[in-house]
Amino acid sequence: MSQQQTKNCITLRGSAQIICEYLKFAINSVLFQRGLYPPQTFKAEQQYGITLLISEDAQIKSFLTNLLTQSEEWILNKKVSKLSLIIINVANKEVLECWDFNVQYEEGDAALSKEKNETVGSKDLKKIQHEIRDVMLQVAATISYLPFLDCRCSFDVLVHAKTDCDIPDKWAEAKPVEIANAQNVQLKTFSTSLHKMETVVSYKLVD
Amino acid sequence: MAKEGDMSLFNDVLEPFRRVINTDPPKDKLSSATKLNFSDSNQSMKEGLNNLLSLGKRKSSVCMNDVCTPEKRVRSESSTTPASAPPSPWEAKRLKIDLIAAKAQITKLESRINHQHTIRKEMQILFEEEKGSLVEQHKRDERALSDMEDRLQLIRRREQELKDEYNQALKEHKDQKANWDREKADLHKQIADMKDKLLECSVSSKDQLSEMKKDMDELLQALEGAQSEVEILKGEVAKQTTRAEQCTTLRTQLEKQTFELQSVTNKLKELEYERDSYKDWQQQAKTAQKRLSNMAELEKEVNRLRSQERSLRDAVCNKLLLEEQVHQLQSRVDVLQPVQNELHEAKVKLATLESALEEWKSAARTHGVESARALSAALDAALNSQLDATAASSQAQSQLAQLTEEVATVKFERDKATGKLNDLQVVRKNQESLIHRLQKRLLLVTRERDSYRQQLDCYEKELSVSLCGEAGAGGAALLAARVDQLERALQAYRDLLALSDQPAHTALVETLRAESSKWREEAENLKRDVAKLRAQRDTLHANLERIGAQSQTKVLHLTNNPAAEAQKQVQLDLEAAQEEIKRLKASLREGGGSLACPEEIQQLKQQLESSRIKLKRLKEEFTSSAQEYRDVCYMLLGYKIDRTGHKNYRISNMYAESSEEYLTFTLDDDGIEMVHTDYSATLGELVELHLHQHRSIPLFLSALTMELFTRTTMQQVQ
């Protein structure tokens, strides 16, 4: 009994790490699926029981590591409510697509938390990974209905943090984005029992 | 010590019994033996006891304590003994000693008994074990016996089966034997049949053989006949071949004759040809004679024609001059034609302008203006007046707008006033109805008041009556009268009530109902509105929350994000591109009046010009030299050579009589060949001589020249 408890115990930091890992793979997957960078710069990697593609571009890699280390810290301190991956037309700075990753904070396992004297969850890691895999498959499936990006595009990640949050070095405040005539598609959610991750893609409806 | 020795002895005695326990355990012997031993042991035990007693009394107490059962007996004995007689101390002592000794003996005996018991038990166990083993052996024997029996039965059964099988086999063997006998008989029969058939077949084959021999004889005879026929036919064939040979000899003769005929006809043709040529010669001679006779006339004619030719050459020169002039004039005409066209157009324009001017003038005259200046003045005035008018109109329009605005305000006020009026009227109506109602109330109240007064009067009357006297009958009458009065009053009340309240009440109820229904409808409408508004409010709340959440959060991003970098890159590219465009434009502008390129162009143009000139000169040179060459050829060799096409050459002689007299040659791989023309047909002799025999074209040509020359000179001489 005690062995199982230790087995299924997820700490706050572990949960944040799971979330950030998901974000890394989700962002890379979107970059690959939406064709923002040439496919030969991506490398296949086995994760969550499926093959996902990770960018080998040094710039993207450094950007993501910077972003995710800081985000993990913020998620740990419950400072972040949403991360938005926006795809921008470089020529006229128009936002064409927005992938919202809404982070919600949950209580976890109260009894176990009291026992451990810190906030912990008791969800099975395999189950979490299974849920994440479902979301990943949905992300891969979105390409069938998202509009074709026929211009030079780039991306940015906006972190919606609380106002009392300090702005670290190399970070700056940005304007919130708006997509005119947007269509929203809610993907599956998954939860680590401490954090709930909701993925929403909104794109410009072309008529 | 003695006891132990006894026990070992006992055991030694017992051992053989244990060993020979299988044979037959004799119980009587054992018991006697035990008895025997017992007695011995008893004696020895007594001795031991004495020894023991001598050791001391202290131990006896211990023994007493150890053994419990004897104590009881002792007590019983002790209880009995003192009852018989009171012993003396010595006796008592003696008795006690005896008693103790007896007790010791008893204990020893008891222990021995116990020991015996254990031995017995051991024996029993041994015997039982033996018995068990024997029983087991017995069982085993029985089992073996039963097994043997089973096996015996099995063997018997097998024997039985084998016997059965043997019987069956015997039976089968008999059956098969019978069958085979039967088959043997059948086969014998078949053999007999077959022999009969064989005999029949041999007989029939002999018959057939004889028939065949007959046929063969017939056929041999036929063959001999046919051979004789063949010989006859061979003889005929030999005859025919001899005939055929004769025919072939005849045919060869015929062929020879035809060949001869052909040669004869050829000779005849040659002769005819010679005759024809001779005739030609004759004709030619005649014509030559004729020509010679006409020579003087011809010379005259030649002179005349030469003069004519000269005049014609002059004329040709003149014609060239004239052509040049014509050309010049035509170019001039070409130059002048557009000018003429322009002139025409100008004239037309002038006419139209004049007509327009005339119209203008007439229009001006109608307005009483004579000169252009006066016209312009008049126009200015008119324009000014128009300007004034437009200003006035705009003013008027603004005024109109003001007025309309005022009118609108006034109308609005009027509407307000009418609204107020309506309100007031409504209020007045309400007041009137109120007044009406109050009047009715008042009426009611006055009537009530009257009735009360009546009642009061009535009471007063009653009071006066009761005060006056108490007459029973009168009282009753009075009461009746009062009842009547009261009933009347009641009736009056009812009437009043019915008259005044009922219609008003019903009307009131009706109005109230209508109102309530109206209110209900309104309430429902309002409820619907409320629901709508709630939904709206919820959505707005959601929006507001989102906005609030946005306002609560602040959006952060990394400064060196890919989008910003991409934008920077694009900006840089754009700037670079613009720079390049500028540079290229500037270079293009400079290139307009530049140094390098135009110089080159100039040079190239000059080169082109010079090369053109060179080409032209070369052409001229070539044509002139070619002409010269041709002339020289003509002068030296007497032939004018023209190239009429690819590898085709036409030559005409200097002394030819007409331009029709020409020869054509074609150049091919082997050399040059003459082509048949009308003129060449007339030169049959020369052709035959020089071309066919000598195979030399220059010789042919010079011979022709010679002939023509001689002909012309002959004519001249004549």
Side-chain angles (χ1 to χ4, degrees), chain B residues 8 10 27 32 75 107 112 121 130 206 253 287-288 301 306 327 423 484 619 631 637 647 659 661 693 708:
Chain B
S8 64
F10 174 75
K27 275 186 182 175
S32 66
R75 228 176 266 164
T107 53
R112 189 158 274 203
K121 274 173 191 168
E130 281 298 315
K206 273 176 186 170
Q253 279 175 354
T287 49
E301 257 183 33
R306 273 181 189 156
H327 184 70
D423 289 347
D484 280 349
K619 264 186 187 169
D631 288 348
L637 303 172
K647 289 185 176 177
S659 58
E661 293 180 355
Q693 288 184 15
L708 288 174

Side-chain angles (χ1 to χ4, degrees), chain B residues 592-642:
Chain B
S594 83
L595 324 154
C597 289
E599 260 185 11
E600 218 170 305
I601 288 165
Q602 207 71 26
Q603 269 184 347
L604 287 168
K605 271 182 184 170
Q606 278 175 358
Q607 267 185 2
L608 192 72
E609 200 63 32
S610 63
S611 63
R612 261 185 203 157
I613 289 162
K614 213 183 258 178
L615 199 71
K616 206 175 169 184
R617 275 180 194 162
L618 276 171
K619 264 186 187 169
E620 279 171 7
E621 186 69 21
F622 177 75
T623 47
S624 63
S625 59
Q627 192 59 43
E628 192 187 310
Y629 179 77
R630 277 156 62 88
D631 288 348
V632 168
C633 277
Y634 184 63
M635 280 188 277
L636 290 177
L637 303 172
Y639 279 103
K640 195 171 134 194
I641 303 167
D642 294 311

Side-chain angles (χ1 to χ4, degrees), chain B residues 14 17 95 128 139 246 301 345 367 399 419 430 477 481 542 595 627 629 650 652 676 703:
Chain B
L14 203 67
F17 288 106
L95 276 169
E128 269 170 14
K139 275 180 188 168
Q246 282 174 353
E301 257 183 33
E345 278 170 18
H367 283 285
Q399 272 179 355
N430 285 345
L595 324 154
Q627 192 59 43
Y629 179 77
R650 186 167 73 183
S652 46
H676 185 82

Side-chain angles (χ1 to χ4, degrees), chain B residues 337-511:
Chain B
Q337 220 145 19
V339 174
Q340 206 176 4
N341 283 340
E342 275 175 23
L343 193 73
H344 276 297
E345 278 170 18
K347 271 180 184 171
V348 169
K349 265 185 193 173
L350 199 72
T352 51
L353 285 168
E354 271 177 355
S355 66
L357 190 70
E358 204 60 39
E359 276 174 23
W360 279 110
K361 272 179 183 171
S362 64
R365 258 173 226 147
T366 51
H367 283 285
V369 182
E370 287 297 322
S371 67
R373 276 185 194 169
L375 184 69
S376 62
L379 274 170
D380 282 345
L383 279 171
N384 281 332
S385 65
Q386 207 169 5
L387 275 170
D388 290 345
T390 47
S393 74
S394 64
Q395 231 172 6
Q397 269 178 348
S398 62
Q399 272 179 355
L400 188 73
Q402 266 183 352
L403 285 169
T404 46
E405 261 180 39
E406 275 173 22
V407 165
T409 48
V410 165
K411 268 185 186 168
F412 183 66
E413 276 171 18
R414 196 199 63 188
D415 289 345
K416 260 194 202 171
T418 48
K420 270 183 191 173
L421 195 69
N422 284 338
D423 289 347
L424 287 169
Q425 271 176 349
V426 168
V427 167
R428 203 199 65 191
K429 270 183 190 169
N430 285 345
Q431 298 284 2
E432 272 177 357
S433 65
L434 266 175
I435 287 162
H436 187 67
R437 239 180 265 170
L438 284 168
Q439 275 175 349
K440 272 186 182 172
R441 273 285 151 82
L442 195 69
L443 201 77
L444 212 93
V445 167
T446 47
R447 281 199 188 168
E448 231 171 321
R449 191 198 60 195
D450 289 348
S451 72
Y452 282 134
R453 266 185 194 161
Q454 259 181 343
Q455 240 172 336
L456 209 66
D457 290 345
C458 168
Y459 281 129
E460 272 172 5
K461 267 180 200 170
E462 222 176 303
L463 203 67
S464 60
V465 167
S466 62
L467 281 171
C468 281
E470 287 176 332
L478 210 95
L479 273 172
R482 211 186 133 203
V483 164
D484 280 349
Q485 212 180 10
L486 280 172
E487 271 177 357
R488 240 180 289 139
L490 193 67
Q491 193 59 42
Y493 270 126
R494 271 179 191 160
D495 290 350
L496 194 80
L497 202 71
L499 203 119
S500 69
D501 276 7
Q502 199 59 32
H505 189 68
T506 49
L508 201 83
V509 165
E510 284 296 314
T511 51

Side-chain angles (χ1 to χ4, degrees), chain B residues 168-186:
Chain B
Q168 231 173 354
L170 274 178
K171 227 184 262 177
E172 272 176 22
H173 175 69
K174 274 178 187 171
D175 290 346
Q176 278 177 354
K177 208 177 172 186
N179 279 338
W180 287 335
D181 286 340
R182 232 178 290 147
E183 273 175 27
K184 208 170 130 186
D186 287 346

Side-chain angles (χ1 to χ4, degrees), chain A residues 22 131-139 188-190 199:
Chain A
Y22 162 72
E131 285 177 1
I132 293 175
R133 194 188 69 189
D134 287 353
V135 183
M136 281 299 177
L137 290 174
Q138 271 198 320
V139 169
K188 283 181 183 168
T189 58
F190 76 89
T199 311

Side-chain angles (χ1 to χ4, degrees), chain B residues 63-119:
Chain B
C63 286
M64 289 268 279
N65 287 336
D66 284 344
V67 185
C68 294
T69 41
E71 205 175 17
K72 277 178 187 173
R73 278 179 197 172
V74 168
R75 228 176 266 164
S76 64
E77 278 171 336
S78 60
S79 61
T80 47
T81 40
S84 58
S88 66
W90 184 84
E91 264 180 348
K93 218 175 198 180
R94 185 69 189 256
L95 276 169
K96 268 182 187 175
I97 291 162
D98 284 349
L99 194 72
I100 290 160
K103 273 178 188 172
Q105 207 171 353
I106 286 160
T107 53
K108 269 200 177 170
L109 286 168
E110 274 180 349
S111 69
R112 189 158 274 203
I113 287 162
N114 282 338
H115 189 70
Q116 293 291 332
H117 271 296
T118 54
I119 288 166

Side-chain angles (χ1 to χ4, degrees), chain B residues 105-322:
Chain B
Q105 207 171 353
I106 286 160
T107 53
K108 269 200 177 170
L109 286 168
E110 274 180 349
S111 69
R112 189 158 274 203
I113 287 162
N114 282 338
H115 189 70
Q116 293 291 332
H117 271 296
T118 54
I119 288 166
R120 194 178 57 92
K121 274 173 191 168
E122 210 177 319
M123 294 298 284
Q124 262 182 348
I125 289 160
L126 266 172
F127 292 149
E128 269 170 14
E129 273 177 10
E130 281 298 315
K131 199 179 140 192
S133 67
L134 281 170
V135 166
E136 264 179 34
Q137 206 166 0
H138 178 68
K139 275 180 188 168
R140 237 182 287 146
D141 288 347
E142 273 185 348
R143 228 180 286 143
L145 211 70
S146 66
D147 283 351
M148 294 298 274
E149 275 178 359
D150 287 346
R151 202 169 281 179
L152 199 73
Q153 275 182 349
L154 208 118
I155 287 161
R156 270 180 194 156
R157 222 178 290 146
R158 215 182 279 165
E159 204 182 13
Q160 192 64 37
E161 277 171 14
L162 283 168
K163 269 182 184 172
D164 290 348
E165 270 177 30
Y166 175 69
N167 286 335
Q168 231 173 354
L170 274 178
K171 227 184 262 177
E172 272 176 22
H173 175 69
K174 274 178 187 171
D175 290 346
Q176 278 177 354
K177 208 177 172 186
N179 279 338
W180 287 335
D181 286 340
R182 232 178 290 147
E183 273 175 27
K184 208 170 130 186
D186 287 346
L187 286 168
H188 275 299
K189 262 185 208 169
Q190 276 181 359
I191 287 162
D193 290 345
M194 294 293 272
K195 273 178 183 171
D196 290 347
K197 273 182 191 173
L198 195 71
L199 282 172
E200 279 175 22
C201 282
S202 59
V203 170
S204 64
S205 64
K206 273 176 186 170
D207 292 348
Q208 277 178 354
L209 207 72
S210 61
E211 278 176 20
M212 297 276 267
K213 270 179 183 170
K214 271 182 203 167
D215 286 349
M216 199 131 106
D217 290 340
E218 282 173 17
L219 283 168
L220 280 171
Q221 280 174 356
L223 190 72
E224 277 170 9
Q227 274 175 350
S228 62
E229 271 180 29
V230 164
E231 275 168 14
I232 294 163
L233 284 168
K234 268 180 185 169
E236 276 187 19
V237 165
K239 279 180 195 170
Q240 293 290 341
T241 45
T242 49
R243 261 187 220 170
E245 275 168 9
Q246 282 174 353
C247 281
T248 48
T249 49
L250 279 170
R251 198 188 282 168
T252 48
Q253 279 175 354
L254 192 75
E255 274 172 3
K256 271 179 194 167
Q257 280 174 355
T258 48
F259 186 70
E260 277 169 16
L261 191 74
Q262 272 184 345
S263 59
V264 168
T265 47
N266 281 350
K267 273 179 190 170
L268 199 75
K269 273 180 187 170
E270 274 173 19
L271 285 169
E272 275 179 359
Y273 184 69
E274 273 175 20
R275 200 190 65 187
D276 287 347
S277 60
Y278 180 69
K279 272 180 186 172
D280 284 352
W281 274 109
Q282 274 183 341
Q283 272 183 348
Q284 273 183 350
K286 275 177 188 174
T287 49
Q289 277 175 350
K290 269 182 192 172
R291 273 183 199 163
L292 285 172
S293 63
N294 289 338
M295 196 66 180
E297 284 174 24
L298 283 168
E299 268 182 359
K300 270 180 205 166
E301 257 183 33
V302 163
N303 284 332
R304 195 164 48 84
L305 285 168
R306 273 181 189 156
S307 65
Q308 228 171 14
E309 193 194 342
R310 255 174 233 145
S311 65
L312 280 169
R313 271 184 191 154
D314 291 345
V316 163
C317 283
N318 287 338
K319 199 198 87 180
L320 282 170
L321 272 172
L322 283 167

